[in-house]
Amino acid sequence: MLSDSVCCRREKEGLLHLLELPIGTPLHPAPEAHPYLTVKSFSRSAAGQHTPYQDDLRPPAILYKTVCHLLTNIIERQGMEWCIVYDFVFDRLRAVRQDLVIQGLGSVDSIMVLEPTVRFHSYAGYRLCAEPLSKFDPTINRTHLLECLKQLLVLYDEVQLGCHDTPGTGARAEMEALYLLLTLGYSETLSRSLHLPRELREHHALKTAFAMSLAMWCGNYIRACALLPQLSPLLMCIAAQQLPLIRRRALQVMSCAYSSHNLTFPLSTLQTLLLYKTKGQVESDCRHYSILVKGNAISFWKGAFQPDTHGPCLHVECVDTVLQSCDLPKLLLHPAVDQ
């Protein structure tokens, strides 16, 4: 997937990644570059760097083939921490996007590359949410996710206004729904959704995401949580990453609504309503916001709540259950969203 000159240079300088070697290759101080497994890495623009040669820029068909290779053969590589797999795929997808920008490729070619990239960042943000900051930075992942998604939405609008072939309704509905969930409760995003074509607005994925965002805007945080299990697997990954924000706002409201020195709220009920996986997670979040836990009950008091930064992103049981039965490459490349 690289020109011969670049392969030779990477091999000579010892810049080959372990994921660019055939499975089972013995450790060697100077491994040989495999012509079909070596993938172009991201190179940051800097003063003094020459403009890439035409031979170094991959055409649209090769770019899409590279994306498919990364999200099929690499994404499920066994015997390696998924953080390492994520870092490799993240870098190579960034290089793919760089080639897209340099060549100024058309909307259709760019959409084919950006859609799987958005899905990858959405899934990775949930899968690695419990990892320490030294291994995974959720802020950087979210930044690149939003960058790709906003570029994708602009391309959709250009295709819609032009005379090009429009992308599949299901794929676009999924991306529009992702944007709603990433900006949960934002009036601007809700307004954009209302101005989409009718066939998109009536798509199940978009309708559910819109209802969840609207519930957040209205302050109905319990309904927002109740709608999460109705989403598709990938949208559930994004919605689950918004749960810390939903829970913080819900607990702040409940601290006023159920404020009492004598009465308590069942911990198990709160666990169910706000989709906590374990009672320990409920207790941890309550301590984070200075809410008193008494055995299996919670004592809310409006003066005690500390509206600090929201708690950590945690895995959700219903999301984990759904993802266990998913074919990951299919989820990222060809999800069943046309319904």
Side-chain angles (χ1 to χ4, degrees):
M1 295 186 183
L2 280 177
S3 62
D4 293 339
S5 60
V6 177
C7 273
C8 290
R9 180 178 61 80
R10 294 269 301 277
E11 180 182 314
K12 183 179 179 181
E13 297 178 2
L15 297 176
L16 294 175
H17 195 282
L18 188 60
L19 289 166
E20 293 175 313
L21 304 176
I23 298 175
T25 301
L27 293 178
H28 192 277
E32 295 183 2
H34 192 286
Y36 297 109
L37 297 180
T38 309
V39 185
K40 184 178 180 180
S41 59
F42 175 74
S43 177
R44 191 179 299 276
S45 302
Q49 275 195 343
H50 65 79
T51 303
Y53 298 114
Q54 187 65 35
D55 291 344
D56 293 336
L57 295 176
R58 296 163 289 182
I62 298 300
L63 290 176
Y64 182 68
K65 186 178 179 181
T66 302
V67 173
C68 291
H69 166 69
L70 292 170
L71 300 184
T72 303
N73 302 321
I74 303 298
I75 204 78
E76 291 193 306
R77 180 69 72 90
Q78 301 296 319
M80 186 175 294
E81 275 191 83
W82 208 78
C83 291
I84 298 175
V85 175
Y86 165 81
D87 287 336
F88 177 80
V89 175
F90 169 75
D91 178 84
R92 277 23 179 201
L93 286 178
R94 199 174 178 190
V96 169
R97 287 160 49 205
Q98 189 177 47
D99 278 9
L100 276 179
V101 173
I102 293 174
Q103 296 178 85
L105 296 178
S107 300
V108 176
D109 293 326
S110 299
I111 286 172
M112 287 181 64
V113 167
L114 289 173
E115 284 178 349
T117 305
V118 167
R119 295 188 189 109
F120 165 73
H121 284 292
S122 302
Y123 171 77
Y126 176 76
R127 176 162 178 169
L128 299 175
C129 68
E131 294 292 336
L133 199 58
S134 59
K135 292 186 176 182
F136 173 70
D137 190 330
T139 303
I140 292 177
N141 186 72
R142 181 184 173 87
T143 299
H144 283 271
L145 170 57
L146 276 171
E147 181 181 318
C148 294
L149 185 55
K150 287 179 179 179
Q151 185 180 354
L152 192 55
L153 297 183
V154 170
L155 292 172
Y156 285 147
D157 292 340
E158 290 177 357
V159 169
Q160 183 179 324
L161 291 173
C163 299
H164 312 288
D165 293 332
T166 57
T169 301
R172 182 177 178 184
E174 180 188 42
M175 295 297 127
E176 296 283 358
L178 270 170
Y179 191 48
L180 274 167
L181 297 173
L182 273 170
T183 55
L184 209 59
Y186 281 44
S187 57
E188 296 85 356
T189 316
L190 288 166
S191 177
R192 171 186 168 83
S193 298
L194 290 173
H195 290 86
L196 291 172
R198 183 176 179 180
E199 62 270 19
L200 283 174
R201 296 199 311 270
E202 292 181 350
H203 194 280
H204 173 73
L206 192 58
K207 286 173 68 175
T208 309
F210 183 87
M212 189 170 177
S213 187
L214 184 62
M216 188 70 174
W217 183 77
C218 294
N220 192 345
Y221 308 118
I222 303 303
R223 173 166 169 74
C225 289
L227 287 167
L228 187 147
Q230 300 178 29
L231 297 167
S232 65
L234 196 72
L235 296 181
M236 288 173 74
C237 289
I238 285 293
Q241 295 171 61
Q242 297 288 64
L243 280 177
L245 174 63
I246 297 174
R247 288 165 176 163
R248 183 185 69 177
R249 294 187 180 178
L251 290 172
Q252 187 169 11
V253 170
M254 294 176 78
S255 292
C256 292
Y258 295 96
S259 180
S260 172
H261 285 303
N262 301 317
L263 302 178
T264 58
F265 192 91
L267 188 146
S268 57
T269 302
L270 188 65
Q271 178 186 348
T272 302
L273 292 175
L274 298 183
L275 303 180
Y276 286 103
K277 196 170 185 177
T278 65
K279 289 185 178 181
Q281 291 180 354
V282 184
E283 294 171 354
S284 178
D285 255 13
C286 286
R287 285 194 298 268
H288 181 79
Y289 298 116
S290 300
I291 299 172
L292 182 62
V293 178
K294 298 179 179 179
N296 290 321
I298 299 170
S299 178
F300 288 109
W301 180 246
K302 59 184 178 182
F305 186 87
Q306 296 295 322
D308 199 357
T309 55
H310 56 67
C313 184
L314 304 166
H315 284 162
V316 182
E317 187 170 6
C318 62
V319 183
D320 291 343
T321 302
V322 170
L323 289 178
Q324 284 175 2
S325 61
C326 284
D327 182 326
L328 185 54
K330 185 177 180 181
L331 178 70
L332 301 180
L333 287 169
H334 308 291
V337 291
D338 287 304
Q339 50 180 301

